[in-house]
């Protein structure tokens, strides 16, 4: 998908069951702050939202937003 640190993205779907805090991010936009290894073969994307809450998502759960 070609995501980059500092890019604005929208949480478009959630792959698994998640906590209430993470579920509340669905449909919201945030900024990519870093990448993280999640299971030895996958890469997660850490997204920070306007309220300073940050958590990670799989790349396919995010949609790039137009600048």
């Amino acid at each position: 998908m070609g995501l980059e640190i500092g890019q604005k993205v929208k949480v478009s779907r959630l792959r698994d069951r998640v906590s209430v805090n993470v579920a509340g991010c669905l449909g919201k936009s945030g900024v990519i702050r870093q990448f993280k290894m999640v299971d030895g073969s996958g890469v997660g994307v850490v997204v920070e939202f306007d309220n300073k809450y940050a958590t990670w998502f799989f790349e396919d759960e995010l949609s790039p937003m137009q600048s």
Side-chain angles (χ1 to χ4, degrees), residues 3-12 22 25 28-36 44-59 61-63 65:
L3 297 175
E4 299 177 3
I5 293 176
Q7 182 178 9
K8 193 159 186 159
V9 292
K10 181 178 180 178
V11 181
S12 56
V22 175
C25 297
K28 294 188 177 175
S29 60
V31 176
I32 296 174
R33 293 297 179 210
Q34 64 183 358
F35 295 97
K36 93 180 226 156
V45 180
V46 177
V47 178
E48 182 179 359
F49 298 92
D50 289 339
N51 63 0
K52 302 300 180 201
Y53 177 71
T55 191
W56 71 270
F57 299 92
F58 291 104
E59 285 185 87
E61 296 176 315
L62 303 172
S63 301
M65 296 188 65

Side-chain angles (χ1 to χ4, degrees), residues 13-34:
R13 74 183 197 105
L14 298 172
R15 191 191 279 195
D16 299 315
R17 288 186 182 186
V18 294
S19 69
V20 173
N21 288 342
V22 175
C25 297
L26 185 61
K28 294 188 177 175
S29 60
V31 176
I32 296 174
R33 293 297 179 210
Q34 64 183 358

